[in-house]
Amino acid sequence: MERVCSKVRHRLRDPVTGLLFVLPVLVLFLVFRIFPTLGVAGMSLTDWKISGEWSFVGGDNYARLFDDPNFLTSLQVTLVYSAIYVPLTVLVALGTALLLNSVIFMRGLFRGMLFLPYVTSFVFAGIIWRWIYEFDGLLNGLLARIDVGPVAFMEESALVLPALALVSVWKGFGYSMLILLAGLKAIPGSYLEAARVDGAGPFQRFRRITLPLLKPALFFVLIIETITAFQVFDTIYVMTGGGPARASYTLIYGIYEQGFRFFDFGYAATLGMVLFAVVLVISLIQRRLMDRGNT
């Protein structure tokens, strides 16, 4: 009997020890993630005033979404922005990862230089790129040399989203580049060498070996960048303020405007829950695709 009790205590000791190690992070996650999410979900069912007074309205805020043209505009703008930003980021990150994987001399220096924009401030990047896009800025100065322009990148509704997406790609591709570079390093060199001996060219090796083995990393990068696209705010706040004519009015900017300009916290919380639902669905898709890729 004592031997059985000793085995039970031994089996329980490891999980308890592990739980104690993760407990601080778990508490932080509950305080700063779970509890605020539950609070926002509750707030979305109320008419919450800036004074702290509130009244329960049930699903009225959610019904209001379908009659709000600004919500439909923000959803459309977010989808269009994501359709531009995500493929471009993945392509740039994949291209730079392939180049870094083939570079031998000063690889660390090139990796640091390409990753540097990712660790810069979004506000700083927005200010610099706004100057680049101005009528008398750097880009229009270069276009003038070939008798083109000037182009109103920030004032044209058709150009503002591609221009903002380009800024975000420059700012954020470094993270995905490192993920894909790690995936490339995990591919056994013997596979590529065997294909080279069999007469496969660079494109065939990439298509038949590199790309299939890189699928898990590509899936991860694709979903992470999609979530990033739905959460874009800093660049738009600094560069356009949602304009011109709400051409860059995204979901996150709509949440900011409803909450901190109009102080309609209940409706802002409702928009936040919509965004949460979208990100949750994307995360579930990520989990499904990753599990399928592993099998």
Side-chain angles (χ1 to χ4, degrees):
M1 186 65 181
E2 292 182 0
R3 182 177 299 179
V4 173
C5 293
S6 178
K7 289 183 178 180
V8 172
R9 286 195 298 268
H10 180 73
R11 289 181 179 180
L12 291 176
R13 185 180 305 165
D14 291 340
V16 171
T17 303
L19 180 61
L20 290 175
F21 276 109
V22 302
L23 187 59
V25 177
L26 182 61
V27 170
L28 291 176
F29 186 79
L30 289 173
V31 172
F32 293 103
R33 295 287 185 176
I34 301 300
F35 293 158
T37 302
L38 295 176
V40 170
M43 187 181 291
S44 68
L45 303 176
T46 67
D47 181 16
W48 197 286
K49 305 296 184 182
I50 189 173
S51 61
E53 300 178 355
W54 60 274
S55 59
F56 183 77
V57 297
D60 291 352
N61 286 330
Y62 291 92
R64 177 181 166 188
L65 290 173
F66 300 98
D67 297 327
D68 185 3
N70 290 335
F71 166 70
L72 300 177
T73 298
S74 66
L75 184 59
Q76 179 182 359
V77 168
T78 304
L79 291 174
V80 173
Y81 174 85
S82 301
I84 299 172
Y85 168 79
V86 175
L88 190 57
T89 302
V90 173
L91 289 176
V92 172
L94 180 59
T96 51
L98 290 170
L99 288 175
L100 284 177
N101 193 47
S102 60
V103 170
I104 299 177
F105 180 69
M106 299 180 68
R107 180 183 300 172
L109 176 62
F110 291 127
R111 186 185 305 171
M113 292 175 60
L114 291 172
F115 188 73
L116 184 60
Y118 181 78
V119 298
T120 59
S121 167
F122 262 114
V123 175
F124 175 75
I127 293 174
I128 295 298
W129 277 89
R130 185 172 179 83
W131 169 75
I132 292 175
Y133 284 141
E134 286 179 351
F135 278 102
D136 56 348
L138 177 62
L139 186 54
N140 276 314
L142 295 175
L143 292 176
R145 294 180 178 271
I146 56 175
D147 297 327
V148 177
V151 180
F153 292 100
M154 295 290 97
E155 285 75 27
E156 292 288 340
S157 298
L159 296 178
V160 64
L161 283 183
L164 291 171
L166 182 61
V167 176
S168 297
V169 170
W170 172 84
K171 173 71 172 65
F173 82 94
Y175 176 79
S176 295
M177 175 194 70
L178 291 184
I179 297 297
L180 295 175
L181 183 60
L184 290 172
K185 294 297 183 184
I187 298 176
S190 57
Y191 292 177
L192 298 172
E193 185 63 28
R196 187 182 295 109
V197 172
D198 289 339
F203 179 75
Q204 290 178 319
R205 294 196 299 270
F206 173 76
R207 181 184 176 187
R208 300 294 184 182
I209 298 177
T210 302
L211 195 58
L213 295 177
L214 199 60
K215 277 185 178 180
L218 277 174
F219 280 141
F220 176 80
V221 166
L222 180 64
I223 301 304
I224 289 299
E225 294 298 348
T226 302
I227 295 174
T228 301
F230 271 87
Q231 295 177 338
V232 61
F233 173 76
D234 309 70
T235 307
I236 292 174
Y237 179 80
V238 173
M239 298 185 67
T240 65
R246 299 191 183 274
S248 60
Y249 189 83
T250 60
L251 275 172
I252 288 288
Y253 198 87
I255 295 172
Y256 159 76
E257 188 174 66
Q258 292 294 330
F260 297 99
R261 284 189 179 179
F262 305 141
F263 302 110
D264 193 350
F265 295 112
Y267 190 57
T270 304
L271 294 175
M273 292 307 300
V274 171
L275 180 62
F276 173 77
V278 172
V279 173
L280 179 62
V281 170
I282 293 175
S283 300
L284 293 175
I285 294 174
Q286 174 196 12
R287 177 65 179 272
R288 185 67 178 269
L289 292 176
M290 291 296 292
D291 290 342
R292 184 179 300 177
N294 292 333
T295 56

